[in-house]
Amino acid sequence: GHPPGGSLVAGPGLRVRGMTAAAGNGIVGREIVHSGVTRVEKTTTDGSPAVATGLRGSHWPERIVNEGTLDVRATAGLSRGSVSLMLAGGDEAADTTTVIARAVGIEGGHGDTLVNQGSVSAVAASSVNRFDAEMNLIDLSHGDTSLTVAARAVGLDAAGESAHGKGGGLGATAILNSGRVTAQANSAVGRVAVELNAVDAATGDSR
């Protein structure tokens, strides 16, 4: 199936052993076991981030086990993006466009043990077909534009970045893998055009 929201919370191939409780962040239990074949997919086409996670730990220590096949895919795309800056009289402005895709097969939380006995695949892809930047600067004005296109795929993630915030995950205690894990990430940019019109001491940067 294709669970909504880009993450697997519950389904016919997911069961919990031991104590269970609803906690707002999915399923909480002593052991979460995934079996069968499940695909989790998140796709965006407007340049917004695409984040897909197969199995995710919570704030309670758990043992997260994959016995089946878990296929996680995140795709972020932008057909055409543009930015236009018009500055005068010493004004400063910056514009940043970011297109990011992140796919994680199994993500650990605080004190989790991640166990993979099956197959985990994580695929992330991001792309921008065309990007146009135009800056019109007068006097001592300064303008800065940037475009970032990035993709990250992780099969078994102990850091727990997306579950607990960037750099804020307490991470899993252990990772045990006796199965197959693959991760593939790809990012691409097509045509980029930059037009700069500067008068007097105005400066502009584009990257």
Side-chain angles (χ1 to χ4, degrees):
H2 297 265
S7 64
L8 175 62
V9 175
L14 193 66
R15 64 186 186 275
V16 179
R17 297 171 180 165
M19 181 181 63
T20 64
N25 289 327
I27 294 178
V28 177
R30 293 176 180 173
E31 185 173 62
I32 297 175
V33 182
H34 169 260
S35 60
V37 179
T38 302
R39 181 169 179 173
V40 178
E41 189 169 13
K42 179 66 175 182
T43 301
T44 63
T45 59
D46 59 355
S48 58
V51 179
T53 305
L55 298 175
R56 175 180 298 166
S58 66
H59 297 286
W60 287 264
E62 298 160 331
R63 180 180 171 91
I64 304 174
V65 182
N66 175 50
E67 298 176 344
T69 299
L70 191 58
D71 183 8
V72 182
R73 298 174 181 267
T75 305
L78 181 62
S79 178
R80 183 170 183 174
S82 63
V83 58
S84 179
L85 296 179
M86 175 75 72
L87 303 174
D91 292 338
E92 295 188 9
D95 189 281
T96 301
T97 300
T98 303
V99 179
I100 295 178
R102 184 173 187 267
V104 179
I106 304 177
E107 182 178 74
H110 174 51
D112 289 343
T113 298
L114 309 185
V115 181
N116 177 48
Q117 300 170 345
S119 176
V120 176
S121 174
V123 178
S126 60
S127 64
V128 174
N129 292 336
R130 177 172 177 174
F131 187 79
D132 300 312
E134 179 183 357
M135 289 184 287
N136 297 287
L137 311 175
I138 302 175
D139 297 331
L140 296 176
S141 301
H142 177 266
D144 190 341
T145 66
S146 65
L147 170 65
T148 300
V149 182
R152 183 184 183 197
V154 183
L156 306 177
D157 186 7
E161 180 176 306
S162 69
H164 306 287
K166 185 175 180 181
L170 296 176
T173 300
I175 294 179
L176 307 175
N177 178 48
S178 60
R180 183 173 183 267
V181 179
T182 61
Q184 178 181 349
N186 180 69
S187 58
V189 178
R191 180 180 181 271
V192 177
V194 179
E195 179 180 345
L196 173 61
N197 300 305
V199 179
D200 296 334
T203 60
D205 300 316
S206 182
R207 57 185 183 276

